[in-house]
Amino acid sequence: MSDSPSDTLSDGPLPGAALPWRATVLTLYPEMFPGPLGHSLSGDALSRGTWSLEARQIREHGLGRHRNVDDTPAGGGAGMVLRCDVLAAAIDAAAAPDDPRPRLLMSPRGKPLTQSRVRALAEGPGAIIVCGRFEGVDERVIEARNLEEVSIGDYVLSGGEIAAVVLIDACVRLLPGVMGKHASGVEESFEGGRLEYPHYTRPREWEGRTIPDVLMGGNHAAIARWRAERSLAVTRARRPDLLEREEP
């Protein structure tokens, strides 16, 4: 893929169809997209025009003959910082002032991404996603362009591109028609504040381990109770913080 100002990666919706969920990614490495998003559920949905992806090269707005995008941090220190004027120009070129999509900055200091936030994003028109690099982004552009900082975990990546892929994938799979069954997006981890219950399939016995009898008995009420109990037990053992959030 070329480093053109705008690489649109979808043919768009069919005539008469509803507007697709739109993701615009601002990055120094547009060739990283669609990457995994071009495969499986998200890739199929992208080819159908259920959603669209545009990867835009921040460096197109760089300064001078070398298209510089960064500079040394004020006050000293290691690394480089993305310039506010360059990044603001890239954002302004990517979205009109009245664009209703939230402007997100993938950042380790951002608010942790949750399933409820993903669902809210999936129900909206899409997102404008800025992928940081180097030591970070000039604070002034975060404030001036109202960027919402989002983190996918308590660790640091080389840049925001992988985090952007994670966020987009989490949203796209919830779009209508992307998953085969509606229940696939409801009965899973973090929906309802719990981790998902264990799953089993054939063969019934494997290496001395068997599928729990309750799942083979055909009693749907008993199965539902078992799944709820196991969901609670797994959550209590692995993520007790999720249960603590339920407390008044």
Side-chain angles (χ1 to χ4, degrees), residues 90-186:
I91 294 170
D92 294 345
D98 60 349
D99 193 314
R101 293 176 295 167
R103 299 177 175 189
L104 312 178
L105 170 63
M106 308 313 298
S107 166
R109 74 175 196 177
K111 186 175 181 179
L113 184 65
T114 63
Q115 188 66 16
S116 61
R117 181 61 176 132
V118 165
R119 188 167 289 281
L121 289 170
E123 292 172 353
I128 300 164
I129 306 171
V130 177
C131 299
R133 279 275 161 177
F134 315 121
E135 287 300 308
V137 171
D138 190 307
E139 187 73 19
R140 291 170 294 179
V141 72
I142 298 174
E143 299 169 352
R145 294 301 182 268
N146 194 30
L147 301 182
E148 174 191 343
E149 295 184 73
V150 179
S151 169
I152 64 166
D154 295 341
Y155 45 86
V156 179
L157 301 172
S158 300
E161 287 78 13
I162 294 175
V165 169
V166 169
L167 183 146
I168 293 171
D169 180 82
C171 292
V172 168
R173 64 189 296 275
L174 296 181
L175 299 179
V178 174
M179 287 189 288
K181 294 182 179 180
H182 173 70
S184 296
V186 176

Side-chain angles (χ1 to χ4, degrees), residues 3-5 27-28 57-71 81-83 85-87 89-90 134:
D3 287 356
S4 61
T27 171
L28 293 173
Q57 173 60 269
I58 295 173
R59 197 172 295 279
E60 290 292 331
H61 304 274
L63 305 176
R65 182 164 61 91
H66 298 292
R67 297 288 188 179
N68 293 327
V69 299
D70 58 346
D71 211 327
V81 177
L82 274 172
R83 292 177 58 113
D85 48 358
V86 171
L87 189 50
F134 315 121

